[in-house]
Amino acid sequence: MKILVSGGAGFIGSHLTERLLEQGHHVIALDNLITGRRENIASFIEHPEYEFYEHDIIQPWQPSGDPVSAIFHLASPASPVGYTRNPIETHLVNSVGTHNMLKLALASEAKLLYTSTSEAYGDPLEHPQREDYWGNVNPVGPRSCYDESKRFGESLTIEYVRQFNLDARIVRLFNTYGPRNDPQDGRVVPNFIMQALENRPLTIYGNGMQTRSFSYISDIVEGIMRAMFHPATKGEVINLGNPDERTILDFANRVLEVCNSEAKIEFFDGRTDDPNKRCPDISKARRLLDWEPVVSLEEGLRHTIEYFRSASRK
Ligand code: NAD
Ligand code: UDP
């Protein structure tokens, strides 16, 4: 199958591409490298079934030759540091960029999957978060360029399903980590691992009692693939995440343990609008996709730490 991946040079997009190539698909990746990295695609850039285009999807794009049959639309800055540095670009990629991907899917008679986020729930008042919870989002806060534009992208995607019968679905991804996490993107996983490995204090924002639920990359790629290709996912919104909820303080201690590090922990001011709790209800993914995460936090951390150790040796 000829498949388009927007955001293909990013963390999740590059792992998804590898899986698609392994399954014998032809992959076209579009990425403007605003937060992606060429090193993420270095291991398969020469693959005969792979094409990479440095392209901003805010501008329309047409494939040459046969139309694509499926579009995985992942392009968007994803880390708080990434999107607060590029707020207008984040708004535009999730609005205009999503519109371009939807129009291309319609013209090509292709399936489409849009990667939304747990941030669509904002600082949730319901816990754990089910797909039918509408969320608690500050429309003008520092995170709004991301969460509001993702909500707009969801709304536009569902409108294409309603009005044009497009075969599209939405997945809401929860915090995902693994090899190829960008050490510079400020997210908690790369920050804590790099700090622990370099014996610098781990920086906790706030009191560390806020929670997150961390999913390992291979579990998320499997969930994304099933959401695209399983029957009965058209028009659905599906949480993909790991219900193993941890406080950030507990997570810091796990990282220290797996890194075998004696680094200290330091507490700093909390971030504005930082969600206090986050944990997915994944009953819908279990039912529709027969999917649930299988990689434990300790195992996922071991693989990720190994990646960071070898990346820092290069
Ligand atoms: P990433 O930043 O590593 O990858 C996103 C990619 O999109 C980057 O390579 C970036 O250069 C590209 N991109 C951004 N704007 C673009 C544009 N206008 N045109 C073309 N390419 C563009 O982030 P990621 O963690 O791989 O996230 C992938 C998707 O998953 C994003 O849509 C993100 O919102 C979503 N998501 C990720 C997480 C997570 O924990 N990683 C959680 C929830 C949702
Ligand atoms: N965090 C932290 N120290 C860091 C980076 C992040 O305490 O060095 C906290 C952050 O305040 C948030 C959680 O870890 O409560 C997850 O942050 P991240 O930026 O990874 O993603 P988010 O879930 O906020 O999008």
Side-chain angles (χ1 to χ4, degrees):
M1 201 184 259
K2 188 168 172 180
I3 293 177
L4 180 69
V5 179
S6 80
F11 161 52
I12 300 176
S14 63
H15 285 278
L16 175 66
T17 300
E18 265 179 334
R19 180 76 66 91
L20 292 167
L21 290 172
E22 274 163 26
Q23 293 192 352
H25 297 292
H26 183 90
V27 179
I28 299 172
L30 305 182
D31 202 303
N32 66 352
L33 301 174
I34 192 171
T35 54
R37 298 183 296 163
R38 280 191 183 275
E39 64 190 81
N40 288 344
I41 57 173
S43 60
F44 49 80
I45 187 103
E46 303 292 347
H47 193 292
E49 295 301 327
Y50 182 70
E51 297 174 55
F52 177 77
Y53 298 93
E54 191 170 335
H55 176 81
D56 186 338
I57 62 153
I58 292 166
Q59 304 303 327
W61 186 84
Q62 280 299 332
S64 54
D66 295 338
V68 296
S69 305
I71 299 177
F72 289 90
H73 172 31
L74 278 71
S76 168
S79 73
V81 168
Y83 58 73
T84 47
R85 259 190 212 140
N86 303 289
I88 308 292
E89 290 82 354
T90 303
H91 271 298
L92 291 176
V93 70
N94 283 307
S95 53
V96 180
T98 299
H99 196 209
N100 282 331
M101 292 298 104
L102 289 165
K103 285 191 291 187
L104 181 61
L106 197 61
S108 318
E109 297 182 20
K111 297 157 79 70
L112 181 140
L113 176 143
Y114 178 49
T115 52
S116 184
T117 164
S118 53
E119 287 280 323
Y121 301 118
D123 188 3
L125 304 177
E126 288 186 14
H127 194 75
Q129 292 78 55
R130 285 164 45 105
E131 290 86 350
D132 54 10
Y133 174 50
W134 293 354
N136 176 42
V137 172
N138 176 354
V140 292
R143 302 172 86 101
S144 73
C145 61
Y146 186 61
D147 39 29
E148 290 292 26
S149 70
K150 284 286 184 184
R151 287 162 68 98
F152 178 88
E154 288 196 13
S155 174
L156 195 62
T157 302
I158 288 300
E159 217 48 67
Y160 264 69
V161 177
R162 280 197 205 108
Q163 287 205 25
F164 307 116
N165 202 24
L166 184 74
D167 186 359
R169 71 276 299 129
I170 294 162
V171 289
R172 293 193 183 132
L173 306 183
F174 285 64
N175 296 60
T176 305
Y177 71 100
R180 301 197 191 126
N181 261 151
D182 181 350
Q184 310 297 333
D185 81 2
R187 278 188 268 202
V188 69
V189 177
N191 271 11
F192 283 5
I193 293 178
M194 291 307 290
Q195 290 160 347
L197 290 178
E198 293 169 1
N199 209 22
R200 292 183 283 122
L202 273 60
T203 52
I204 291 191
Y205 307 148
N207 64 8
M209 289 299 109
Q210 71 270 39
T211 67
R212 292 295 186 272
S213 308
F214 297 99
S215 317
Y216 189 63
I217 182 67
S218 57
D219 283 332
I220 290 301
V221 167
E222 181 63 30
I224 290 175
M225 293 287 284
R226 290 188 193 200
M228 177 67 108
F229 295 116
H230 265 220
T233 60
K234 178 177 168 184
E236 296 292 344
V237 180
I238 307 168
N239 284 339
L240 294 177
N242 193 326
D244 177 11
E245 181 183 7
R246 307 279 177 138
T247 65
I248 292 301
L249 180 58
D250 174 59
F251 181 67
N253 283 313
R254 295 286 79 71
V255 170
L256 289 174
E257 206 174 275
V258 184
C259 285
N260 202 13
S261 165
E262 300 200 338
K264 305 268 175 289
I265 293 179
E266 276 184 18
F267 294 86
F268 295 82
D269 287 345
R271 295 192 302 201
T272 309
D273 294 347
D274 197 349
N276 193 37
K277 278 170 169 247
R278 184 181 289 161
C279 180
D281 179 319
I282 58 164
S283 19
K284 188 168 178 182
R286 284 196 173 104
R287 179 167 46 83
L288 274 185
L289 311 177
D290 191 24
W291 174 89
E292 63 181 8
V294 294
V295 180
S296 69
L297 184 62
E298 280 68 23
E299 185 189 348
L301 275 177
R302 274 199 302 279
H303 295 311
T304 312
I305 288 163
E306 186 46 45
Y307 166 80
F308 277 95
R309 276 193 214 279
S310 57
S312 65
R313 280 197 294 267
K314 279 178 194 161

